[in-house]
Amino acid sequence: MENVLEQLLVASNCSTLKESLERLIGIAKTSDGRLDLACKHIIIPVLRLCQSPLQISAEDLYLSIKLLRNLCAGEIKNQNLFIQQNGVVIISTLVNSMGLVSGSDNRTLHMVLQLLGNVSLAGEKHRDDVWRQIFPLGFLDIARVQGKETCDTLCMVIHTCVDGSNERSVELLGDAGLDIVVELIRTVTIVGFREHWLKLLLLKICFEDSYFSPVFSKLSPVAEAENSDKNVSRVNNFGAGQALLLSVLAEILNEQLGEIVVSNDFSLFLFGILRNSVGIVDFSTRGKSPLPTGSANVDVMGYSLSILRDISACHGPNVKKRDEEGDVVDMLVSAGLIKFLVTLLRNLEPPAIIRKATVHNNIDDSNSQPSKYQCPYRGFRRDVVAIIGNCSYQKKHVQDEVREQDGILLLLQHGVTDEENPFLREWGIWSMRCVFEGNEENQKLVAQLELQRSVSTPEIAELGLRVEVDPKTRRPKLVNA
């Protein structure tokens, strides 16, 4: 230890270890300083300090790791020397001695992860060395540490290590690797995250590699549902981690709308989640807040709708089919999505403005089916209407199914302003346009409804249309206003 201290004191021209480390940290902030210290092989005595953590103070240990981090920030000589001197093994041993599960110095751990991230950026050999020494148990222990910065940086290290490596990607997608991802999500559910690394990791795992269903199932609070893609239909309750996962995926998809190809398996599994969540959520109470609501069951349902809304917006006939499995919307419609959504919309009480008009006009509604559902969150009705509209865009067979499910008049009631559903009017008008466009049967139906006063003229006018009676056939039809 005396020889180690002497090397550092001489290199920094200081009299104490702390002063020496602080001065060297300052020097290593510049590229010239890092290169100069690389020529002096300063990494070697600093690594020796890290091998004897009990012989120095916690503050000096933290400063030592910080110095290593700075030295390995883009300086290949230092990065190579770190690997040659078994730096990853030394740091891994140090992490194991920190007692991560029972509590640790998150500041030092965060610095360790930044160091490993800098080393990983040097090249394939460096990434492989980091991965082999720390995957899976080291990563798993760190993932359980409840620190926002720690979690962010761990995601960065893992993403850097697997990026461009088929072998490490396969290992990440195995049970041991997915267990790490699940622990990361559980930690983020508690502490949150700031940086984009978690989103990049989930983009790769859930969208690009299509491992959404096993990750979601592993997050289930019901033990019987773990590690089984099919058990989602038997779940009686969803967990906060599952809601968090869906919220992040919804954000990713919305940010990269049209760029991400969503597989049929992903979409079908998500539809199963939606159906199950609708059976769990309590619709007897009107939700007063948008997503997230704080209720895992409601949030899972809401984010499932949000993702389906964007999936259906990305797979219209004008979007180049990059998924060899075929059109996702067609698959979802074949699985019963439109029937499910129209039924769900029908079971909802009408929008507030229509409810008030019904009461004001003393309309006898005694023969109609009583409303069973209220919107469990602000925007629920809007999301359902949006999916129906997106799925119907330039797809006649979907437009026909909306009509066959008696959904035309139902949709016409949703081109209205609704305080409980921001932008419902815009989505309602869009959806009606999609359902009517190029579909004579639907246009004739709504024209007949207008003549029968089943719908009001303003609802038709909102679409830029009006009803005329064909002089030859004497049948009503819709024409451009």
Side-chain angles (χ1 to χ4, degrees):
M1 180 60 72
E2 290 183 3
N3 185 44
V4 168
L5 291 175
E6 183 179 353
Q7 292 180 61
L8 294 174
L9 296 178
V10 169
S12 61
N13 194 27
C14 293
S15 58
T16 67
L17 177 58
K18 182 179 180 181
E19 291 176 352
S20 174
L21 292 171
E22 289 176 339
R23 178 165 294 182
L24 293 173
I25 287 170
I27 295 172
K29 286 182 178 180
T30 67
S31 57
D32 289 341
R34 289 191 290 273
L35 179 59
D36 179 61
L37 294 177
C39 296
K40 298 177 180 178
H41 293 177
I42 287 299
I43 271 187
I44 295 178
V46 181
L47 282 174
R48 298 298 172 264
L49 283 179
C50 296
Q51 281 184 296
S52 306
L54 297 180
Q55 298 185 35
I56 59 177
S57 68
E59 180 65 17
D60 288 343
L61 178 61
Y62 168 75
L63 293 174
S64 298
I65 301 296
K66 188 174 183 179
L67 175 55
L68 289 172
R69 181 203 65 174
N70 286 8
L71 290 170
C72 292
E75 175 49 61
I76 190 62
K77 290 186 177 180
N78 284 327
Q79 293 164 329
N80 288 340
L81 188 58
F82 183 87
I83 295 296
Q84 294 165 10
Q85 295 295 316
N86 293 319
V88 179
V89 175
I90 293 171
I91 295 301
S92 177
T93 302
L94 175 63
V95 170
N96 291 337
S97 70
M98 295 173 67
L100 298 181
V101 177
S102 59
S104 61
D105 181 357
N106 287 355
R107 186 182 65 152
T108 299
L109 181 60
H110 181 218
M111 198 61 62
V112 165
L113 291 170
Q114 289 187 332
L115 164 62
L116 295 176
N118 285 345
V119 173
S120 299
L121 291 171
E124 173 62 22
K125 184 180 185 305
H126 302 72
R127 287 189 283 274
D128 194 65
D129 201 23
V130 170
W131 187 261
R132 297 298 157 217
Q133 293 298 330
I134 303 179
F135 178 87
L137 296 181
F139 286 143
L140 186 62
D141 286 343
I142 298 172
R144 290 172 175 154
V145 175
Q146 294 184 3
K148 187 178 297 184
E149 292 80 7
T150 299
C151 196
D152 283 338
T153 316
L154 177 58
C155 290
M156 180 269 288
V157 173
I158 294 175
H159 184 272
T160 301
C161 286
V162 300
D163 189 33
S165 170
N166 291 332
E167 182 180 356
R168 292 191 290 274
S169 291
V170 169
E171 291 181 340
L172 178 64
L173 298 173
D175 278 340
L178 292 183
D179 284 344
I180 296 170
V181 176
V182 166
E183 288 302 326
L184 277 168
I185 294 171
R186 286 174 177 157
T187 297
V188 167
T189 302
I190 298 171
V191 304
F193 67 98
R194 289 196 183 97
E195 300 182 16
H196 66 288
W197 294 106
L198 176 68
K199 293 166 70 173
L200 288 177
L201 201 57
L202 293 180
L203 169 63
K204 171 179 173 53
I205 293 170
C206 295
F207 287 122
E208 295 176 1
D209 294 324
S210 299
Y211 272 72
F212 165 57
S213 58
V215 173
F216 187 86
S217 297
K218 281 176 175 286
L219 285 165
S220 173
V222 182
E224 291 79 9
E226 291 185 357
N227 303 316
S228 173
D229 298 352
K230 298 180 181 179
N231 279 338
V232 67
S233 62
R234 300 198 295 270
V235 172
N236 296 318
N237 233 341
F238 291 104
Q242 292 173 310
L244 185 280
L245 172 62
L246 289 175
S247 73
V248 175
L249 294 181
E251 187 176 335
I252 292 171
L253 189 59
N254 189 259
E255 289 174 347
Q256 302 186 46
L257 201 61
E259 299 177 12
I260 297 175
V261 178
V262 182
S263 70
N264 285 359
D265 287 342
F266 180 105
S267 303
L268 197 59
F269 185 79
L270 184 68
F271 183 27
I273 294 171
L274 174 62
R275 284 185 296 195
N276 191 45
S277 63
V278 168
I280 296 172
V281 168
D282 178 11
F283 284 87
S284 64
T285 303
R286 183 176 293 111
K288 297 182 179 180
S289 68
L291 298 173
T293 65
S295 164
N297 292 330
V298 173
D299 289 345
V300 164
M301 179 181 66
Y303 287 121
S304 296
L305 287 170
S306 297
I307 295 173
L308 285 170
R309 179 197 64 211
D310 287 344
I311 288 175
S312 58
C314 294
H315 288 81
N318 294 331
V319 177
K320 183 180 179 181
K321 292 183 180 179
R322 294 164 289 178
D323 188 344
E324 295 179 357
E325 297 175 338
D327 191 288
V328 172
V329 169
D330 289 344
M331 182 273 301
L332 287 170
V333 172
S334 297
L337 177 63
I338 295 300
K339 180 179 180 180
F340 178 82
L341 293 176
V342 170
T343 301
L344 189 58
L345 198 60
R346 183 177 293 113
N347 286 338
L348 280 176
E349 61 181 5
I353 192 171
I354 295 180
R355 295 199 306 270
K356 294 175 183 177
T358 301
V359 173
H360 177 74
N361 295 320
N362 295 318
I363 296 176
D364 182 8
D365 202 31
S366 58
N367 294 325
S368 65
Q369 183 179 353
S371 296
K372 295 183 292 184
Y373 293 166
Q374 297 182 22
C375 291
Y377 68 88
R378 285 176 56 83
F380 173 76
R381 185 192 306 275
R382 171 205 62 211
D383 291 342
V384 174
V385 170
I387 298 172
I388 296 174
N390 285 346
C391 288
S392 303
Y393 178 66
Q394 296 188 2
K395 285 182 175 289
K396 187 176 184 300
H397 64 287
V398 182
Q399 298 168 343
D400 291 341
E401 179 154 0
V402 174
R403 182 184 69 253
E404 291 162 3
Q405 296 298 329
D406 295 326
I408 299 293
L409 180 57
L410 191 63
L411 275 182
L412 283 168
Q413 296 174 351
H414 288 83
V416 296
T417 302
D418 187 4
E419 293 181 358
E420 299 171 5
N421 290 271
F423 302 106
L424 174 64
R425 179 177 177 274
E426 289 78 7
W427 277 111
I429 293 173
W430 158 256
S431 297
M432 287 186 284
R433 283 187 177 277
C434 291
V435 169
F436 294 148
E437 185 181 17
N439 193 305
E440 293 184 6
E441 293 89 346
N442 287 358
Q443 293 182 22
K444 288 177 182 178
L445 175 62
V446 77
Q448 291 169 346
L449 288 172
E450 199 280 332
L451 288 182
Q452 297 166 10
R453 298 189 180 278
S454 298
V455 296
S456 65
T457 301
E459 291 170 327
I460 305 299
E462 288 282 6
L463 299 175
L465 303 171
R466 70 171 184 270
V467 177
E468 286 185 355
V469 176
D470 190 300
K472 294 182 180 180
T473 64
R474 306 307 299 169
R475 297 186 63 182
K477 63 180 181 179
L478 285 180
V479 298
N480 288 328

